[in-house]
Amino acid sequence: MKHFLRMLIQVCLYFYCKFLWRCLKFVMRKLTGRCELQRICYNTKPGASRTMKIETSLKDSKSKLLQTSVSVHFDAIEKTIEDIMELKKINPDINPQLGISLQACLLQIVGYRNLIADVEKLRREPYDSDNPQHEEMLLKLWKFLKPDTPLESRISKQWCEIGFQGDDPKTDFRGMGLLGLYNLQYFAERDATAAQQVLSDSLHPKCSKFSKAEWEKKRMDKAIGYSFAIVGINITDLAYNLLVSGALKTHFYNIAPEAPTLSHFQQTFCYLMHEFHKFWIEEDPMDIMEFNRVREKFRKRIIKQLQNPDMALCPHFAASEGLINM
């Protein structure tokens, strides 16, 4: 009975707050002469703060047109904005900037939804050793990471040298499908120097680019390495969950002036790999069994950063320099 009453009170509070909010919006429109969309666009700076407020306003609207505007096709965005302006009785000649601002927000909102679909498609596609394209990508990964060491055969213990668990990497891609391979190859190809350095450090952490004083201070004579490729697939899982949960909206809405793309996602993966590597060294785990603890601590730190509406995960390596200027 108590549980039922608690639920009833929560439902009543929900509808009361919703009614109160609609009344407040009505009063604000009468006082300012502007609808909520106008107030957001004119009073909030471009980026995640504005786009996320616009997204919430559209989703919570009682208008079906506004609710569905966040999921329209790219080609329909311009027409959708015209319909919204007409519905809100806003003259585009008097308020030209509003249409431009709404278009920028919708491109990001719709682009984020499409990016989730693209990433999900790659994640669901299993690695197929009979697919020449899949095999070519895998062999390129080896070439980018070990340019001076020929791979003796497709099935080889050499794969362990770049962090796979056995002599055939295809079994390690089961969790993240092709997405894991796409991300690893992107990192290894687009920022080869950094990727090769991270790989080397993961195998020989004591030889990392820390000064002797830093090694002694952090007792890194006993530093523990990790499996580069396996960790890359694990960080792919982290990036995927940040994307699907919406946590990466802050980052993408701040760095992508229009629609975030798969390249933006892969650049974010590169950043996370680079940052996790530094975090692992700083944490100085006793053994590899502490991986889950370190990963969870790292995940919480990234999520905390992304809760800042002005946050953009600022990369510091070649693969993602383009993000800074976007």
Side-chain angles (χ1 to χ4, degrees):
M1 186 65 179
K2 288 182 179 180
H3 180 67
F4 173 76
L5 288 174
R6 190 182 301 115
M7 287 186 62
L8 183 62
I9 291 172
Q10 289 176 343
V11 171
C12 291
L13 281 173
Y14 169 77
F15 283 106
Y16 174 75
C17 291
K18 197 168 186 179
F19 173 76
L20 190 63
W21 176 243
R22 293 196 186 283
C23 290
L24 181 60
K25 286 171 65 176
F26 176 79
V27 172
M28 289 295 293
R29 171 139 198 180
K30 290 300 180 182
L31 290 175
T32 64
R34 294 175 175 175
C35 68
E36 185 178 38
L37 296 176
Q38 287 176 294
R39 295 194 300 274
I40 293 173
C41 287
Y42 293 146
N43 300 330
T44 311
K45 65 181 180 180
S49 295
R50 177 189 290 177
T51 302
M52 292 176 79
K53 286 180 180 179
I54 290 292
E55 187 173 13
T56 300
S57 178
L58 293 173
K59 287 181 176 179
D60 292 346
S61 174
K62 62 182 179 181
S63 167
K64 194 69 175 177
L65 170 64
L66 269 62
Q67 291 175 8
T68 58
S69 64
V70 298
S71 56
V72 298
H73 190 273
F74 275 121
D75 297 337
I77 288 179
E78 190 172 341
K79 177 63 167 60
T80 300
I81 292 172
E82 292 176 0
D83 294 341
I84 291 174
M85 301 277 276
E86 182 178 351
L87 176 68
K88 294 294 185 179
K89 296 180 173 58
I90 301 171
N91 189 332
D93 296 326
I94 299 176
N95 302 274
Q97 187 59 41
L98 179 63
I100 296 172
S101 298
L102 282 177
Q103 183 174 20
C105 290
L106 274 183
L107 281 170
Q108 290 183 319
I109 294 167
V110 173
Y112 193 93
R113 291 172 64 94
N114 289 345
L115 176 58
I116 291 178
D118 292 340
V119 168
E120 184 65 34
K121 183 179 179 181
L122 285 174
R123 189 186 74 85
R124 288 179 177 272
E125 184 174 355
Y127 183 90
D128 183 1
S129 57
D130 293 327
N131 187 316
Q133 184 181 2
H134 295 186
E135 287 287 284
E136 182 182 4
M137 288 179 63
L138 182 60
L139 294 175
K140 280 184 176 180
L141 176 62
W142 174 271
K143 181 180 178 181
F144 292 137
L145 290 174
K146 306 278 284 185
D148 300 324
T149 306
L151 184 66
E152 295 175 0
S153 64
R154 167 61 180 79
I155 307 298
S156 170
K157 288 293 184 182
Q158 283 182 286
W159 289 112
C160 296
E161 295 177 21
I162 61 173
F164 286 104
Q165 292 179 322
D167 56 8
D168 191 350
K170 71 176 184 180
T171 58
D172 293 326
F173 292 118
R174 289 173 183 168
M176 283 286 108
L178 275 189
L179 184 62
L181 178 56
Y182 264 78
N183 280 349
L184 283 169
Q185 186 195 327
Y186 186 94
F187 185 30
E189 179 179 9
R190 297 301 181 94
D191 198 32
T193 302
Q196 289 170 25
Q197 184 62 54
V198 171
L199 171 61
S200 176
D201 291 351
S202 71
L203 294 169
H204 311 288
K206 190 177 178 180
C207 299
S208 181
K209 291 183 177 179
F210 280 85
S211 68
K212 183 178 180 180
E214 286 175 314
W215 278 111
E216 292 175 352
K217 181 180 179 181
K218 297 181 70 62
R219 298 177 291 107
M220 289 184 176
D221 57 310
K222 298 180 180 179
I224 300 298
Y226 56 82
S227 299
F228 175 88
I230 296 301
V231 168
I233 294 171
N234 203 287
I235 296 300
T236 292
D237 177 74
L238 171 61
Y240 166 77
N241 283 292
L242 289 173
L243 177 73
V244 173
S245 69
L248 280 178
K249 285 182 179 180
T250 309
H251 170 63
F252 286 139
Y253 289 170
N254 280 328
I255 59 95
E258 294 185 348
T261 64
L262 184 60
S263 292
H264 289 113
F265 177 77
Q266 291 175 310
Q267 288 166 351
T268 304
F269 163 78
C270 294
Y271 170 79
L272 292 173
M273 274 292 287
H274 195 266
E275 290 300 301
F276 179 80
H277 175 67
K278 292 192 296 183
F279 190 76
W280 176 265
I281 297 295
E282 290 168 1
E283 283 293 299
D284 191 19
M286 295 298 293
D287 54 52
I288 195 63
M289 298 302 292
E290 287 198 71
F291 177 80
N292 287 337
R293 176 191 67 79
V294 176
R295 181 193 184 277
E296 179 61 16
K297 189 174 179 180
F298 177 73
R299 183 189 70 85
K300 289 179 178 178
R301 189 178 77 166
I302 294 296
I303 288 178
K304 185 177 181 179
Q305 291 175 348
L306 291 170
Q307 288 172 347
N308 178 358
D310 296 324
M311 182 63 190
L313 300 175
C314 265
H316 300 291
F317 48 91
S320 300
E321 284 178 354
L323 289 180
I324 300 172
N325 299 316
M326 293 185 77

